[in-house]
Amino acid sequence: MLKKILFMLLTVFIFVDFLGQKYTSKEIDSLDKIATFSMANKKEALKLLLKYVDIAAKNGYEKEEISAMYHATIVYFDLGEYEKLIEYSVRVEDYAHKVGDPFYEMVAIRMRAMAYMKLGVYNKSESLFKGALEKASNLKGDKMYAGKGSLFSDLVILRSEMGLSCDDSTLVYLKESLKWYNKMQNKDKKEISLIPMYSNIGLYFSEINQLDSAFYYSRKALRLSVLRRDTMNLGIISSYIGSFYYKSNDQDSAFYYLKQALSITKRSARPYQLKDVYDNLALVYEKQKDYKNSLFYRNKYKKLDDSLRNVEKIAVNKESIRDNEKSKKQSGRFYLILGFTLSVLLIMIYYAVRYFKRYRKERNEKKQKEVVISDLENKMNDAFEEMVQLAKSDNPAFLLRFKEIYPEFYKKLSETYPFLTSGQLKFCALLRLNFSTKEIAHYNHLTIRGIETKKNRLRKQLDIPSHEDLNNWMMKF
């Protein structure tokens, strides 16, 4: 509710500011940034940016015109309109070349490369990223260092999109990016760039199971985040380190860092980060066979994931720019602002009254819900234990019971891979329950070598990379 009110206030004052005013270059630059980075409705933001481009061109604001053009490419990317982005970025590049601005030439090429990457045209994307690197060489000082650092990071993302995130060239690009960021003279900008860079290098080493190196770079990122009081990255990095400890079977340390990440992400209101923390905590508790807490965080993960997928669309008033009206009276403007402000205040009062009316009702319902949830969790735990015992006794009813408890997993697996036999589906179910190779062999009266063979055959059938842990893959599927 508070976000809605703040956004409406922003809309009101931008709208009022539009009326009867000749824009200065600073105002165009400010409104340009608000449209790009603050407006939730990206289609409306794009309309505004294209209008700012025209206004800047008419007033001879060369710098503001090209800035608004570049920001339009960012919004095209956010909207997923990659073909239009490609077309418009060529226009930005041509204009930047005409006015002799190599920085905007570089970023225009970079945005076009990102569009081709999203379209799956990887060779073209890689060629453009390398072309942008050549343009970056024409820059000086920190602009060049930051440009090259970010472009090598983009090449790392491209390798990941191509399914080559663990090859040697990825590490080369990561080191190149790190090298250029380390050359930056501006201490603040340098540290801001290095935090995600160290974190990405840590993730790379984690993916190739070199956990010592993963911890080394992640802790460098963590120290910088603490030093800069960067709570956003601090939460992300703590979560990563927790997952590394999970992989190294040090569950106590995993809990420590994941609980830190949970506390930070809750305070900073970062729902996507919080979702990952819930997921990692569920995995750690499941590894510890604490199925009650695992289910608790799995439910939190699912609830948050559902809410993020169904974020309501905020209705945004269409904003318009009128021709200059020099004769508009200041008193008229004042009453217009006053009218809008009163309207917003009335809306705030309306929502506040609704909130307090619901408060008492929700407080009474809360206790009842807690009792229902507690009963449900107990039933789920009992069902889970029953299913595990069926698996251990190699009971034919195991797969049927698994299907009842994990219907979504079973349905998705069988529909995605219809060629799987019932025996393979049972094998996948055991992996989803995190049974080890030794346990599966023991309970099914088979050899460990036989189970490893079944794993390799299944990995090939499902096209799962060799570095991916099969149990983790099933848990995240």
Side-chain angles (χ1 to χ4, degrees):
M1 183 184 75
L2 181 59
K3 288 184 178 179
K4 287 182 180 180
I5 294 170
L6 290 174
F7 187 80
M8 292 178 71
L9 280 169
L10 175 66
T11 303
V12 166
F13 287 114
I14 291 177
F15 179 78
V16 171
D17 201 51
F18 282 167
L19 301 177
Q21 183 178 357
K22 177 178 173 62
Y23 292 99
T24 66
S25 60
K26 287 184 178 180
E27 287 169 337
I28 289 290
D29 184 58
S30 176
L31 292 171
D32 162 10
K33 290 183 173 71
I34 290 172
T36 308
F37 302 112
S38 299
M39 288 186 67
N41 189 321
K42 294 300 178 184
K43 288 187 177 180
E44 291 298 321
L46 182 62
K47 288 180 183 178
L48 286 176
L49 284 166
L50 296 178
K51 288 179 181 179
Y52 299 151
V53 170
D54 291 339
I55 292 170
K58 288 175 183 176
N59 287 279
Y61 303 148
E62 184 178 282
K63 180 181 175 182
E64 287 68 32
E65 181 184 0
I66 195 167
S67 175
M69 291 172 74
Y70 165 59
H71 287 147
T73 67
I74 294 175
V75 177
Y76 274 127
F77 184 87
D78 291 338
L79 287 167
E81 296 182 10
Y82 303 123
E83 289 85 358
K84 290 183 180 179
L85 190 162
I86 290 168
E87 180 182 346
Y88 199 79
S89 68
V90 172
R91 179 180 164 187
V92 179
E93 183 187 355
D94 290 342
Y95 187 73
H97 181 74
K98 177 183 174 182
V99 300
D101 192 326
F103 172 77
Y104 281 106
E105 280 188 81
M106 176 195 72
V107 293
I109 296 170
R110 176 179 180 253
M111 293 304 297
R112 191 153 69 254
M114 292 174 71
Y116 276 116
M117 177 176 69
K118 289 296 183 181
L119 291 169
V121 188
Y122 298 130
N123 289 338
K124 180 69 173 177
S125 176
E126 186 172 20
S127 174
L128 285 166
F129 277 131
K130 290 179 178 178
L133 278 168
E134 291 180 11
K135 293 293 181 183
S137 298
N138 297 327
L139 302 175
K140 294 180 180 179
D142 280 2
K143 275 194 174 182
M144 179 179 71
Y145 304 144
K148 288 197 171 186
S150 62
L151 286 164
F152 277 113
S153 290
D154 291 336
L155 285 165
V156 172
I157 296 169
L158 176 62
R159 303 301 287 178
S160 179
E161 290 281 337
M162 295 169 69
L164 301 171
S165 60
C166 295
D167 65 2
D168 292 339
S169 62
T170 300
L171 183 58
V172 170
Y173 290 144
L174 283 166
K175 288 182 176 179
E176 278 294 310
S177 182
L178 184 60
K179 179 185 79 175
W180 288 106
Y181 281 142
N182 272 319
K183 288 177 178 285
M184 293 175 67
Q185 299 300 307
N186 185 301
K187 185 174 181 291
D188 283 339
K189 290 182 179 179
K190 177 180 177 178
E191 289 179 351
I192 289 168
S193 301
L194 284 175
I195 290 172
M197 192 69 255
Y198 285 140
S199 183
N200 288 336
I201 296 175
L203 281 175
Y204 168 82
F205 281 115
S206 172
E207 287 181 3
I208 63 173
N209 291 317
Q210 292 185 20
L211 292 178
D212 287 343
S213 296
F215 281 122
Y216 172 78
Y217 283 101
S218 296
R219 283 171 180 145
K220 286 174 76 74
L222 188 68
R223 283 193 293 272
L224 267 181
S225 298
V226 172
L227 185 66
R228 295 193 59 82
R229 298 179 181 177
D230 184 347
T231 55
M232 182 183 76
N233 281 306
L234 190 60
I236 295 171
I237 297 159
S238 295
S239 180
Y240 287 163
I241 293 175
S243 68
F244 298 164
Y245 275 116
Y246 169 78
K247 289 183 73 173
S248 64
N249 289 318
D250 184 350
Q251 305 310 324
D252 290 338
S253 297
F255 277 129
Y256 173 79
Y257 281 97
L258 288 172
K259 290 290 186 180
Q260 267 198 338
L262 181 64
S263 174
I264 294 165
T265 50
K266 275 186 174 179
R267 290 199 306 270
S268 58
R270 302 279 178 178
Y272 288 97
Q273 294 176 27
L274 188 59
K275 187 181 75 165
D276 290 338
V277 174
Y278 286 151
D279 187 35
N280 286 328
L281 278 168
L283 289 173
V284 174
Y285 276 117
E286 191 169 356
K287 187 81 170 180
Q288 295 290 81
K289 300 190 183 302
D290 184 346
Y291 301 119
K292 183 175 181 179
N293 277 316
S294 178
L295 181 64
F296 174 76
Y297 283 105
R298 183 62 60 203
N299 288 338
K300 278 186 167 291
Y301 169 88
K302 189 176 184 306
K303 184 178 179 181
L304 183 55
D305 186 56
D306 289 342
S307 69
L308 290 173
R309 291 173 183 273
N310 298 290
V311 175
E312 65 177 6
K313 296 179 181 178
I314 301 173
V316 179
N317 294 326
K318 292 186 178 180
E319 301 178 65
S320 60
I321 301 175
R322 297 182 183 178
D323 295 331
N324 297 329
E325 299 176 2
K326 295 181 179 179
S327 60
K328 191 172 182 64
K329 295 181 180 180
Q330 291 296 323
S331 60
R333 235 181 125 194
F334 168 77
Y335 286 115
L336 184 59
I337 293 171
L338 181 62
F340 272 104
T341 303
L342 288 173
S343 298
V344 172
L345 286 172
L346 287 172
I347 292 170
M348 291 173 68
I349 292 168
Y350 169 73
Y351 278 108
V353 170
R354 284 187 60 185
Y355 173 79
F356 286 111
K357 279 184 177 180
R358 287 201 309 263
Y359 175 74
R360 287 185 179 179
K361 183 180 178 181
E362 290 175 353
R363 186 175 59 181
N364 293 330
E365 292 174 349
K366 185 179 179 182
K367 290 183 179 179
Q368 296 176 1
K369 287 181 181 179
E370 287 175 351
V371 172
V372 173
I373 290 169
S374 179
D375 290 342
L376 180 61
E377 286 180 349
N378 289 333
K379 289 178 182 178
M380 285 296 293
N381 285 333
D382 291 342
F384 188 89
E385 286 295 337
E386 177 195 349
M387 180 179 56
V388 170
Q389 292 304 318
L390 289 173
K392 289 181 178 180
S393 60
D394 196 21
N395 193 309
F398 162 70
L399 189 58
L400 181 62
R401 192 61 174 137
F402 178 88
K403 184 177 178 181
E404 291 173 354
I405 296 175
Y406 293 103
E408 292 181 3
F409 172 83
Y410 187 89
K411 181 181 178 183
K412 182 180 176 184
L413 186 68
S414 57
E415 288 181 354
T416 307
Y417 306 104
F419 52 80
L420 291 175
T421 65
S422 60
Q424 288 175 315
L425 289 169
K426 176 186 174 184
F427 189 61
C428 292
L430 292 170
L431 294 172
R432 173 63 182 79
L433 294 175
N434 207 22
F435 275 68
S436 68
T437 299
K438 185 177 178 180
E439 288 172 328
I440 296 173
H442 175 71
Y443 297 132
N444 289 272
H445 311 294
L446 298 171
T447 64
I448 291 176
R449 185 182 182 86
I451 298 301
E452 291 291 352
T453 301
K454 288 183 73 172
K455 277 190 171 183
N456 290 334
R457 189 179 300 117
L458 183 65
R459 189 185 294 277
K460 289 180 181 178
Q461 283 184 288
L462 304 190
D463 195 25
I464 301 172
S466 59
H467 66 269
E468 180 80 33
D469 182 84
L470 207 54
N471 291 57
N472 285 344
W473 189 92
M474 289 295 173
M475 290 179 197
K476 294 179 180 179
F477 182 75

